[in-house]
Amino acid sequence: MIGAYRALAGLLLLATACTTGPSLENRGEVTAPPGDSKELTVGSAGFTESDLLAQLYALLLERAGYSADIISVTNREIYEPALESGQIDVVPEYAATFADWLNAKANGADAAPVGSPDLAATMKALRKLAAPRGLTVLDPGRAVDQNAFAVAASYAEEHNLKTLGDLGRAKLPVRLAAGDECVQRPYCAPGLEKTYGIDIVAVDPKGVGTTQAKQAVQNGQDQMVLTTTTDATLDQFGLVLLEDDKKLQNADYVVPVVNRARAGGAGVRDALGRLNTVLTTADLASMNEQVDSWRRLPEDVARTYLESKKLIPRS
């Protein structure tokens, strides 16, 4: 059954949580020919977008002649070692975030970040970190889920704002609804001030893209909210994204990561690569909305999308 969840997933991954797999010095699969197992497990990180991507991957793999089950795991500390060990074969990831996570795992929490707004440099760093762990990072497509900033549409119209650069030049005092960490994170308040010259007078700790945070901007308590580029609910609150015209945010493009020994061959690469020229950030946002607001099942949304793009036959 496409997208079926393995009943023993929790037990398998509980065992994985106790290990990080074989040492990097003893991984024969790194130099062995890429594997092509016909029975694959796709991992999801347990939130809507990851569930949707996992379903898209599973459906495309099924179409290419593979058997694909899905395991939902909410913790990268668990699913990444499971990916290394082959309990999970494929996961959807985000290039810059995953590069920095692997870098911290390899070089310590204080290691300088390797993810950046430069996609090519980020992918080079990510692949270099992934390869010794027996992982292959496939090519990114067009879809990106980055941090983003939104304001009320009426506020944008009043001040003629389309970009974060416009907001900086407007010299307006801005209360920003975000998570508490925004005060220190370089992509958030410090970056907005340094890169764009935006006058952040306060950070209102209401979380990243939460309903409370969006309502605070909607009612004028705050002027801007930290959310993501695939947030599907902005229209409901009368909000619009401001373009990151100076590229403050990292290149968090969606990338499939596979276990080389089991799913590193051309079959998986070609099957998942069919999404690369099709799936956009707007498509992801629309699918997120269908699941979160319309209460459709991720598998149904994913199937309808792939059918509409003629990537799988209509059922």
Side-chain angles (χ1 to χ4, degrees), residues 12-268:
L12 288 171
L13 292 168
L14 182 61
T16 305
C18 300
T19 179
T20 58
S23 69
L24 298 184
E25 294 78 12
N26 297 305
R27 296 192 177 192
E29 69 268 24
V30 175
T31 54
D36 191 30
S37 172
K38 294 302 178 182
E39 296 185 358
L40 300 174
T41 299
V42 180
S44 162
F47 57 92
T48 296
E49 187 169 291
S50 189
D51 288 344
L52 281 163
L53 289 165
Q55 293 289 352
L56 291 169
Y57 290 3
L59 287 161
L60 287 170
L61 289 168
E62 291 276 359
R63 172 64 175 158
Y66 295 88
S67 170
D69 291 341
I70 293 175
I71 286 179
S72 184
V73 189
T74 58
N75 190 319
R76 188 178 275 119
E77 284 77 8
I78 295 176
Y79 75 67
E80 189 276 332
L83 183 63
E84 289 187 34
S85 69
Q87 287 179 290
I88 294 175
D89 303 303
V90 184
V91 294
E93 263 293 356
Y94 300 93
T97 295
F98 196 47
D100 283 338
W101 193 88
L102 287 181
N103 188 42
K105 184 174 181 179
N107 300 310
D110 295 331
V114 295
S116 76
D118 184 328
L119 177 59
T122 296
M123 287 297 297
K124 182 178 180 180
L126 173 54
R127 284 172 165 153
K128 183 177 180 180
L129 287 159
R133 297 185 177 278
L135 307 180
T136 297
V137 183
L138 305 185
D139 290 339
R142 300 163 61 193
V144 57
D145 188 351
Q146 295 169 304
N147 294 305
F149 297 90
V151 298
S154 56
Y155 181 82
E157 184 177 358
E158 178 185 356
H159 299 288
N160 195 26
L161 306 176
K162 290 185 170 57
T163 68
L164 290 169
D166 292 338
L167 182 56
R169 287 185 290 273
K171 302 301 179 186
L172 298 165
V174 174
R175 278 177 55 90
L176 175 60
D180 343 7
E181 69 279 3
C182 178
V183 175
Q184 285 137 356
R185 294 286 171 87
Y187 67 80
C188 205
L192 291 172
E193 292 170 339
K194 180 178 179 181
T195 303
Y196 288 104
I198 296 173
D199 182 16
I200 305 294
V201 295
V203 172
D204 188 4
K206 284 186 162 59
V208 179
T210 63
T211 297
Q212 268 192 325
K214 292 172 195 166
Q215 287 174 337
V217 176
Q218 182 183 38
N219 64 29
Q221 177 185 343
D222 298 330
Q223 286 71 51
M224 190 160 67
V225 59
L226 171 62
T227 181
T228 67
T229 52
T230 58
D231 189 329
T233 66
L234 295 178
D235 284 349
Q236 298 172 27
F237 297 91
L239 306 182
V240 293
L241 290 179
L242 295 181
E243 181 190 347
D244 180 19
D245 50 315
K246 294 185 181 178
K247 307 298 182 190
L248 173 63
Q249 302 304 322
N250 282 344
D252 260 330
Y253 283 75
V254 174
V255 289
V257 182
V258 303
N259 177 288
R260 174 184 164 88
R262 289 183 48 81
V268 170

